[in-house]
Amino acid sequence: MKHDLAEMPVDDDITPDHATDSVPAPAPASLIPPLRQTAVLLDIDGTLLDFAPTPREVWVPPELSTTLKRLHERTNGALALVSGRSLNDIDLIFAPDQFPAIGGHGAEMRLQPDSEAVAAHAPPLDKELKRRLAAIAKLSPGILLEDKGYSLALHYRLAPHAEKAIYEAVSLIRAELPNAPIEVLPGNSVCEIKNSGFTKATGVLELMTHEPFRGRRPFFIGDDVTDETVFGIMPDFNGLAFSVGRRATGVAGHFDRPSDVREFLARLLDDDRDVSLS
């Protein structure tokens, strides 16, 4: 399920609304500048990879690993994965390969595949708050708890009937802690809670100040509500945003499914035209 909310406000009612799909638009390779001028920024779940019953069950097709490695080479290193997952989790999924990445919704960043993570001054969630939120998983069998350090996620893909109860329980906790600097991020069968002050967009803004990303024209592909913060900053870099599964506001094009994204990225490697975004 999609939720058309950029970020959940701090209020008493955080039950998500259903998004409305609109007419899809194409995402032609002709819009993308030469790879030597491009920064390739990619969400993972629901964008590069198909959803699975649990986060640990996602599968990376071998041809995608090949495509990402070649894009990393052709862009001279200006390819980054942008995810709500931690960097450690990203590396486990794509092992043995490693890529530049923004993890934890902007909480951590790595500029080179073999470099150390750069902290984004994002504080981890309070331990007591985590404990209270984790107890929500007891509402129903099938609710999976994922502690990402900087955030905590309650996955209900295996218990879709529990969605409303989960959000109501989170609302009650927030009502008891009105001054807590936290945000609720509704996603695809997941309710995620993190500290405020950092997003995928703040991570990308920081990334674009560093080589080899600095001065390049980025394009970003994402599918979820948390990706909309990045959609909104692409014009700042004369870049482009593409959505997956729905036509989000302000995007240049749309993909129906992750397999279409994978095919699109593979085609970019065969397209060496001298085109620009102007």
Side-chain angles (χ1 to χ4, degrees):
M1 177 172 8
K2 308 285 185 183
H3 303 291
D4 274 333
L5 301 171
E7 288 185 347
M8 293 301 297
V10 179
D11 56 27
D12 294 332
D13 182 10
I14 59 171
T15 303
D17 296 324
H18 293 273
T20 301
D21 289 340
S22 58
V23 178
S30 60
L31 290 174
I32 307 301
L35 290 175
R36 64 182 179 275
Q37 301 173 7
T38 301
V40 181
L41 310 176
L42 303 166
D43 173 51
I44 298 175
D45 296 279
T47 297
L48 288 177
L49 304 182
D50 297 289
F51 286 112
T54 69
R56 293 294 183 186
E57 293 180 79
V58 295
W59 179 69
V60 179
E63 60 271 20
L64 174 62
S65 294
T66 300
T67 296
L68 293 177
K69 286 186 287 188
R70 290 185 61 196
L71 284 171
H72 184 259
E73 294 172 358
R74 290 276 297 276
T75 58
N76 293 316
L79 173 143
L81 304 176
V82 183
S83 178
R85 291 179 182 264
S86 67
L87 291 183
N88 182 65
D89 202 21
I90 293 170
D91 289 346
L92 288 174
I93 292 170
F94 287 93
D97 300 316
Q98 287 188 320
F99 301 98
I102 293 169
H105 296 288
E108 50 185 353
M109 179 173 63
R110 181 175 61 213
L111 297 172
Q112 302 291 339
D114 56 353
S115 66
E116 294 294 325
V118 177
H121 309 292
L125 275 178
D126 177 77
K127 290 183 179 180
E128 176 60 18
L129 176 60
K130 274 188 180 180
R131 185 189 66 80
R132 295 183 64 180
L133 292 168
I136 296 174
K138 297 179 181 179
L139 288 174
S140 174
I143 300 176
L144 302 180
L145 180 67
E146 182 183 11
D147 185 354
K148 301 181 181 181
Y150 298 100
S151 67
L152 189 142
L154 295 158
H155 299 271
Y156 52 88
R157 189 169 298 277
L158 299 178
H161 59 277
E163 176 183 21
K164 183 178 179 180
I166 290 171
Y167 280 95
E168 287 177 346
V170 173
S171 289
L172 287 174
I173 293 174
R174 290 185 66 184
E176 295 171 3
L177 301 170
N179 297 321
I182 57 175
E183 296 174 342
V184 179
L185 306 177
N188 289 283
S189 297
V190 62
C191 174
E192 188 161 358
I193 304 94
K194 73 174 186 64
N195 281 316
S196 58
F198 62 93
T199 64
K200 287 184 178 181
T202 62
V204 169
L205 287 169
E206 173 67 19
L207 180 80
M208 294 300 295
T209 67
H210 297 276
E211 295 293 345
F213 299 90
R214 182 167 52 211
R216 288 174 175 257
R217 289 173 164 175
F219 73 86
F220 173 70
I221 308 178
D223 74 304
D224 212 346
V225 174
T226 57
D227 298 316
E228 293 180 1
T229 61
V230 185
F231 296 163
I233 65 170
M234 284 296 99
D236 297 345
F237 301 97
N238 197 20
L240 293 171
F242 301 100
S243 59
V244 184
R246 63 186 174 102
R247 178 71 186 272
T249 301
V251 299
H254 167 274
F255 298 95
D256 287 330
R257 57 190 65 85
S259 60
D260 298 328
V261 176
R262 297 192 292 266
E263 292 175 10
F264 171 73
L265 294 174
R267 288 200 307 271
L268 286 182
L269 293 165
D270 300 324
D271 189 352
D272 213 12
R273 292 173 294 171
D274 186 20
V275 297
S276 69
L277 294 175
S278 59

